[in-house]
Amino acid sequence: MENLDDLKSELVAAVDAAATLGDLEEIRISALGKKGRVTGLMKGLGSLAPEERRDAGQNLNIVKNAVTAALESRRDALADAELDAQLEADRVDVTLPVRPEVEGRLHPISQTIDEIIAIFGEMGFTVAEGPDIEDNFHNFTALNIPPEHPARQMHDTFYLPEQEDGTRKLLRTHTSSVQIRTMQTSEPPLRIIVPGRAYRCDSDMTHTPMFHQVEGLIVDKSVHMGHLKGCIIDFCRSYFESPDVPVRFRPSFFPFTEPSAEVDIGCSRSGGTLKIGAGEDWLEILGCGMVHPKVLEACGIDSSEYQGFAFGMGIERIAMLKYGMPDLRAFFDADMRWLRHYGFASLEVPTLLRGLTP
Ligand code: DAH
């Protein structure tokens, strides 16, 4: 059998000298692939005498492990370098003047978020944020969602690879995780909204794997369901710019609120068009309720002293309703024709005084 030390040095040197990920893959195949040199030697072990075979086997494993480790570290280094080069090449010079043929438009999601902030801002809410990559505690446990809850399953939640301590992070499935972060880090009274992205393993006509929500949370000493109703009804009337849009509260269930409700707005569907306002039909737009005492306690807030209400609403949904956009998936196609049609002028900032929409 050939000198394994020499073989190891030769292969590791080849790996270290590989200039591209493609070259690296070729070296891997020629060493460890089905017909690779190391694999070939492994296959040859069978023909050795038993005592020779043990030693040779161990030595071959040393070679194999050294080559594998070298491959991994070279692969990381090359991937980093490739990404750096790509980022460098992609650099955009934001100081260049706008090309006249490019007319920038605000995406309807940005416009809708601005409108939501204008309305809740007027009511005294501030905007809070949290990370898109969350842990089980903030996304589920602290929100009183039990371990066996279906939302925790792989087919509903995007989990990241396992970490060293055996836990797995996840892409937050709702903005409710930011309720927890805010209550952990700030003293009540609290009055926040959280516009942001959420992620679920779901893709069809009415679901995209990434979507937007706005969460709301108030925590104070004497908050009650009447405040929740007033706040939501006011929001709906302002947002749909119609003082008499019917709003209905329907009892519901969420693990993090008790009691819980879903809110519908009145609409009519005639001749294939959907119209917000009085009509024979109802459309669900959000979930809400009084914050469950267990959720307050999980964040170190004394539930005998404080209570609160919360709500969560899908942003695409209410944008589609207000602006008559029939197709959810078009939001994320990055089609300039769609954006030219449904986008908004970038300098028209929504305010309640001047009107939300240009
Ligand atoms: N997190 C819920 C969801 O994604 C929405 C929700 C319901 C949020 C009720 C709340 C709430 O804050 O009180 O479906």
Side-chain angles (χ1 to χ4, degrees), residues 108-137:
I109 291 290
S110 307
Q111 167 75 19
T112 306
I113 290 177
D114 288 348
E115 292 177 25
I116 294 169
I117 293 175
I119 298 167
F120 284 111
E122 198 80 6
M123 297 185 204
F125 286 77
T126 54
V127 173
E129 288 185 317
D132 288 20
I133 298 179
E134 263 301 357
D135 50 41
N136 266 298
F137 179 78

Side-chain angles (χ1 to χ4, degrees), residues 183-241:
M183 287 192 274
Q184 282 179 322
T185 52
S186 326
E187 292 289 315
L190 301 172
R191 193 180 285 215
I192 56 149
I193 54 165
V194 185
R197 294 176 205 267
Y199 307 82
R200 284 180 210 168
C201 246
D202 212 348
S203 186
D204 59 29
M205 274 286 285
T206 51
H207 298 91
T208 48
M210 185 279 298
F211 57 99
H212 297 77
Q213 291 190 324
V214 60
E215 193 78 14
L217 173 71
I218 285 200
V219 179
D220 208 336
K221 288 192 173 157
S222 55
V223 190
H224 56 66
M225 195 84 184
H227 296 131
L228 166 60
K229 288 188 73 175
C231 174
I232 297 295
I233 292 171
D234 256 12
F235 168 77
C236 292
R237 292 186 176 155
S238 300
Y239 176 75
F240 290 107
E241 297 179 80

Side-chain angles (χ1 to χ4, degrees), residues 174 176 179 200 213 215 254 256-257 287-289 310-312:
H174 48 189
S176 306
Q179 287 188 31
R200 284 180 210 168
Q213 291 190 324
E215 193 78 14
F254 299 102
F256 31 91
T257 45
C288 61
F311 58 87

Side-chain angles (χ1 to χ4, degrees), residues 71-203:
L71 279 168
E72 266 173 28
S73 79
R74 189 71 192 144
R75 190 176 300 131
D76 287 349
L78 286 175
D80 280 355
E82 229 160 73
L83 184 63
D84 283 349
Q86 192 187 344
L87 290 176
E88 186 67 23
D90 278 354
R91 183 177 290 173
V92 174
D93 183 351
V94 292
T95 64
L96 287 175
V98 176
R99 295 212 310 271
E101 72 276 19
V102 178
E103 186 203 353
R105 308 284 288 170
L106 269 192
H107 194 282
I109 291 290
S110 307
Q111 167 75 19
T112 306
I113 290 177
D114 288 348
E115 292 177 25
I116 294 169
I117 293 175
I119 298 167
F120 284 111
E122 198 80 6
M123 297 185 204
F125 286 77
T126 54
V127 173
E129 288 185 317
D132 288 20
I133 298 179
E134 263 301 357
D135 50 41
N136 266 298
F137 179 78
H138 292 91
N139 196 78
F140 295 126
T141 315
L143 285 160
N144 193 34
I145 301 176
E148 66 281 5
H149 195 282
R152 293 208 187 200
Q153 305 305 308
M154 292 286 282
H155 54 260
D156 291 312
T157 301
F158 290 110
Y159 285 94
L160 272 65
E162 204 171 287
Q163 307 181 107
E164 268 172 20
D165 63 2
T167 63
R168 301 179 77 169
K169 297 237 175 183
L170 50 89
L171 295 181
R172 69 179 178 201
T173 59
H174 48 189
T175 43
S176 306
S177 53
V178 187
Q179 287 188 31
I180 303 303
R181 292 197 172 268
T182 308
M183 287 192 274
Q184 282 179 322
T185 52
S186 326
E187 292 289 315
L190 301 172
R191 193 180 285 215
I192 56 149
I193 54 165
V194 185
R197 294 176 205 267
Y199 307 82
R200 284 180 210 168
C201 246
D202 212 348
S203 186

Side-chain angles (χ1 to χ4, degrees), residues 19 49 58 63 82 122 128-129 151 182 211 231 251 270 287 291 300 305 309 325:
Q58 279 177 356
V63 176
E82 229 160 73
E122 198 80 6
E129 288 185 317
T182 308
F211 57 99
C231 174
S270 58
V291 180
E305 196 181 348
F309 71 71
M325 293 180 280

